[in-house]
Amino acid sequence: MAPDVATALPRPELAGHLGRLWGVRSIGAPEQHTEPCVPGTALILVLEHDWAIGTGPDAPLKRMGASFAGGISLTPAVSRHEGRVHVLQVDLTPLGTAAVLGVPGAALAGAVVGLGDLVGERDGALLVERLACATTWDARFALLQDWIGRRVRDAPVPRPDVAWAAARIDATGGQVPVERLQRELGCSRRHLSSRFREAVGVGPKAYARLVRFGRAKHLLQQSAMDLATVAASCGYSDQAHLTREVRALSGLTPAGMRADAPSTVTSVQDGGRDRP
């Protein structure tokens, strides 16, 4: 069975809380895969079958029979399935992690936690049941964003200093110096790092590293730019620096990252708009 892959961009009002949404349904051979780091939390809605997840290349695999969240990490995770896949994934930003899952990023950093443990067994099971019963990817994306939107509206107001700093890092593709953030906020570096780590799970410098990598991953997979141009565009000192970071945060070479780009997309919302 050829993989059925679909993708959608977040609604404008949710763009600060989540990134692109992906859906995959496939039947094939068992597969183990290295999952690149993301600058936030990977929320995996398992519609059928189960997965095994490890929080690092050498970590033991944990069988996940239900949906789960993988917290922010500087080490790529490892996943394994037995040949049948039917999942929907969305990457939550630090702001989205707190609003949607009800816990700060630090509570999930480097961990894999069942969805029911975060939002309640009943609410988590009802969401997955509704997604599984929907007949198209577009309908599933709409249902998931409706659910996320309700949780965002009901969430407490985030800390303004951390939300502002994270937004600045995102807007600059991870290239704003931490010293500049500190000056613009009018606080000490220690104060900024402590508050940021409490809310996000890593400090601002590490978060900027993940954002730069996310930008590089996007360019490698969605453009024909040569490696030197990608490196320069993303703030790496040279091509070798880019290669080291891609290896460290994805377990792949840049060429392997490019080859790992999702394909066979059968449904795309928002007609061709994109953002890194």
Side-chain angles (χ1 to χ4, degrees), residues 15 17 33 42 50 66 107 114-115 123 188-189 191 212 230 233 246 264 272:
H17 293 80
H33 193 262
D50 60 0
L115 178 64
D123 288 349
S188 70
R189 185 184 182 111
H191 175 88
R212 283 195 303 275
V230 171
S233 298
V246 170
T264 323

Side-chain angles (χ1 to χ4, degrees), residues 35-45 67-73 77 88-93 97 101 108 111-113 118:
E35 306 292 343
C37 300
V38 299
T41 300
L43 177 60
I44 312 294
L45 289 309
S67 301
F68 58 92
I72 196 167
S73 174
L88 196 159
Q89 174 174 341
V90 59
D91 294 336
L92 300 173
T93 66
T97 298
L101 300 181
L108 296 177
V112 176
V113 181
L118 296 167

Side-chain angles (χ1 to χ4, degrees), residues 52-68:
I53 298 293
T55 55
D58 300 320
L61 296 182
K62 177 183 178 182
R63 180 65 59 183
M64 303 298 295
S67 301
F68 58 92

Side-chain angles (χ1 to χ4, degrees), residues 160-173:
D161 50 356
V162 174
W164 181 87
R168 281 281 282 130
I169 293 171
D170 290 338
T172 61

Side-chain angles (χ1 to χ4, degrees), residues 32-274:
Q32 184 160 308
H33 193 262
T34 301
E35 306 292 343
C37 300
V38 299
T41 300
L43 177 60
I44 312 294
L45 289 309
V46 181
L47 308 187
E48 291 181 279
H49 318 301
D50 60 0
W51 281 38
I53 298 293
T55 55
D58 300 320
L61 296 182
K62 177 183 178 182
R63 180 65 59 183
M64 303 298 295
S67 301
F68 58 92
I72 196 167
S73 174
L74 297 175
T75 304
V78 175
S79 67
R80 179 176 174 80
H81 60 78
E82 298 308 316
R84 293 177 176 267
V85 179
H86 191 189
V87 299
L88 196 159
Q89 174 174 341
V90 59
D91 294 336
L92 300 173
T93 66
L95 185 63
T97 298
V100 176
L101 300 181
V103 295
L108 296 177
V112 176
V113 181
L115 178 64
D117 293 330
L118 296 167
V119 304
E121 293 292 346
R122 181 179 178 279
D123 288 349
L126 181 59
L127 170 65
V128 173
E129 180 182 356
R130 294 183 66 201
L131 291 171
C133 290
T135 57
T136 67
W137 285 117
D138 285 352
R140 294 182 191 110
F141 293 145
L143 283 169
L144 179 56
Q145 294 200 77
D146 287 345
W147 180 80
I148 289 174
R150 288 192 296 272
R151 295 190 66 85
V152 167
R153 287 192 295 273
D154 294 339
V157 176
R159 298 192 73 100
D161 50 356
V162 174
W164 181 87
R168 281 281 282 130
I169 293 171
D170 290 338
T172 61
Q175 297 188 55
V176 59
V178 175
E179 292 77 10
R180 183 180 300 172
L181 294 176
Q182 167 200 329
R183 289 196 303 271
E184 292 174 352
L185 279 170
C187 65
S188 70
R189 185 184 182 111
R190 176 177 292 182
H191 175 88
L192 173 60
S193 295
S194 175
R195 290 286 182 87
F196 201 96
R197 188 179 295 277
E198 287 174 7
V200 177
V202 296
K205 185 175 181 179
Y207 180 70
R209 181 188 178 198
L210 291 171
V211 171
R212 283 195 303 275
F213 166 70
R215 171 69 175 164
K217 177 175 178 282
H218 172 82
L219 292 178
L220 286 169
Q221 295 188 334
Q222 304 295 328
S223 80
M225 284 185 184
D226 61 79
L227 296 187
T229 303
V230 171
S233 298
C234 297
Y236 296 109
S237 57
D238 53 26
Q239 185 175 320
H241 186 196
L242 168 67
T243 298
R244 288 195 301 273
E245 285 293 273
V246 170
R247 282 185 179 276
L249 297 175
S250 74
L252 301 170
T253 64
M257 174 69 68
R258 188 157 262 164
D260 197 48
S263 60
T264 323
V265 175
T266 59
S267 173
V268 181
Q269 291 181 335
D270 299 316
R273 289 187 296 109
D274 207 348

